[in-house]
Amino acid sequence: ALTGEALRKGKQSSGAMPLRVTIHWDEASEEDRNLQLSMKLPKKWWGGPVSKVTDFFVEYYNGKFKDNPLDGKKIHAENAGGRKFHADDVVEVAFTHKEHIYLKDGAPPRNEQKEREELESDPTRLTCQNYGCQFRFREEDNHTKACWHHRKGPVFWNGYKYWACCEDRKAYDWNDFMKVPGCVCGPHSTEKPKGAELVSPTIIAARQAEAEAQQRQAAPKLNDIKRYTEKSIKEEASKPKPKPKTKENLPQGCGRCVHMECKKLFSFKENHNKACKYHRGRAIFHDGAKWWSCCSEHRKSYDWDDFMKIPKC
């Protein structure tokens, strides 16, 4: 899609292509007070807002029908297909040559994208730190019922995302997780909630490994190879010895299938080429999803039981 700037440059380089529109007002209670105005838009309007064109029409209309004036703030512009224009849309991007524009009752629609950009760049706004909020607010607008949020923090477990206070509202997708409605109401706050952080065992293990790495880095270095060897032998001796694996006693003439999703006990005599259904690929676990490398990725599953029920290939 071409940006407004690209469209403006294209029109300017194409040899002063005119921009003519026909504006209609068909909402009057009396038919003779409806108005249709064809006009060639001046070049200086092209890069301006649509409201410039609608305001001109309103001024022209009110001059013609002084006893029944229009309120420019209570009407909006639409094209023949019913698409509503924002008041701050750029004229040459919104309108096309010889297009018919219809003015309708009702204020112009909100430009939510522009509002979000202005909201993010407004230095007077603060960011709420309540769980599940993150709304940018002004302190003077804050009150006791301004913020719906969660009492407890997020939990990420086995692909699931949910709030500890609302365990029955689990989600896999991040956007769905952030749309879970808050369960308590109160004022916005710039202070991060206090209390234990709820994280998955994976994150706990990663943080523990990071702490151990920092301890090793902070420990005094051993430059003497003999001292280093003695230290390693002592550390190894202090570790508990692993329990020896007990060999399974299988019946005579029987074995256990090594395929990951089978593991069944079988008789060598009764074994044949179609005795075992299994996946020839390997299991893949990524971002909470589970699937087999030999099967289509479209057969992903998030639940372990559903994953194990995927038909063998």
Side-chain angles (χ1 to χ4, degrees):
L2 293 174
T3 62
E5 185 64 26
L7 285 170
R8 282 196 287 276
K9 288 180 179 179
K11 288 185 178 180
Q12 290 170 1
S13 62
S14 61
M17 180 187 295
L19 183 55
R20 186 181 295 277
V21 296
T22 301
I23 304 176
H24 301 258
W25 171 253
D26 302 327
E27 303 289 306
S29 56
E30 299 177 16
E31 189 174 348
D32 60 350
R33 293 185 180 273
N34 290 330
L35 181 65
Q36 176 178 315
L37 178 64
S38 295
M39 55 187 298
K40 180 181 177 181
L41 303 182
K43 277 189 180 180
K44 61 182 180 181
W45 288 11
W46 290 9
V50 167
S51 60
K52 179 74 175 177
V53 180
T54 56
D55 288 346
F56 176 84
F57 180 90
V58 168
E59 185 178 352
Y60 179 84
Y61 183 93
N62 291 345
K64 190 175 182 66
F65 303 104
K66 295 180 180 180
D67 58 333
N68 190 29
L70 295 177
D71 186 349
K73 294 181 180 180
K74 295 182 179 180
I75 61 173
H76 65 273
E78 297 182 5
N79 63 11
R83 181 205 162 198
K84 298 179 180 180
F85 298 107
H86 300 116
D88 56 358
D89 283 346
V90 179
V91 169
E92 63 178 336
V93 177
F95 298 161
T96 57
H97 183 49
K98 295 185 178 180
E99 186 173 20
H100 288 259
I101 307 299
Y102 298 85
L103 300 186
K104 302 287 185 179
D105 283 321
R110 295 167 53 198
N111 192 335
E112 294 182 359
Q113 181 178 353
K114 185 176 181 180
E115 287 180 1
R116 283 195 299 269
E117 292 173 355
E118 291 177 349
L119 195 67
E120 291 298 323
S121 60
D122 187 352
T124 65
R125 292 182 180 269
L126 307 170
T127 302
C128 181
Q129 298 295 329
N130 288 334
Y131 289 130
C133 182
Q134 300 298 310
F135 182 75
R136 286 177 59 81
F137 67 98
R138 291 191 179 94
E139 191 58 54
E140 57 268 26
D141 299 330
N142 199 11
H143 54 86
T144 56
K145 295 184 178 180
C147 176
W148 278 96
H149 57 279
H150 293 278
R151 283 187 301 108
K152 296 182 180 180
V155 180
F156 307 106
W157 173 257
N158 197 26
Y160 284 115
K161 305 168 182 67
Y162 61 94
W163 301 97
C165 50
C166 303
E167 294 187 23
D168 58 331
R169 301 292 300 272
K170 291 183 173 73
Y172 287 112
D173 183 76
W174 178 264
N175 292 330
D176 293 340
F177 165 64
M178 292 304 294
K179 289 177 183 176
V180 175
C183 55
V184 292
C185 185
H188 291 298
S189 174
T190 55
E191 294 183 9
K192 291 187 177 181
K194 296 179 181 179
E197 185 180 10
L198 300 171
V199 294
S200 70
T202 305
I203 298 177
I204 294 174
R207 290 180 178 175
Q208 185 177 354
E210 184 181 4
E212 291 174 355
Q214 291 176 351
Q215 290 176 359
R216 287 195 298 270
Q217 190 173 4
K221 295 182 179 179
L222 298 175
N223 297 323
D224 190 326
I225 187 65
K226 185 178 179 181
R227 289 174 58 197
Y228 179 80
T229 305
E230 290 175 353
K231 184 176 181 294
S232 299
I233 293 173
K234 288 181 181 179
E235 289 179 351
E236 192 66 30
S238 64
K239 292 180 180 179
K241 294 183 179 180
K243 295 180 179 179
K245 293 182 179 180
T246 57
K247 189 175 181 181
E248 185 180 11
N249 293 321
L250 300 175
Q252 187 71 24
C254 293
R256 187 169 296 282
C257 182
V258 297
H259 294 144
M260 180 178 175
E261 65 279 19
C262 181
K263 305 294 184 184
K264 290 181 179 178
L265 189 68
F266 67 95
S267 169
F268 293 127
K269 290 182 179 180
E270 296 175 359
N271 197 20
H272 54 86
N273 291 338
K274 295 183 179 181
C276 178
K277 290 184 178 181
Y278 63 97
H279 289 283
R280 66 178 182 273
R282 60 188 179 88
I284 298 176
F285 307 101
H286 178 70
D287 196 24
K290 307 167 186 66
W291 74 94
W292 298 95
S293 62
C294 50
C295 295
S296 170
E297 286 192 27
H298 297 295
R299 305 194 71 172
K300 289 181 180 178
S301 176
Y302 287 94
D303 182 77
W304 178 263
D305 292 335
D306 292 339
F307 165 66
M308 295 303 295
K309 290 177 183 176
I310 295 175
K312 281 76 173 177
C313 59

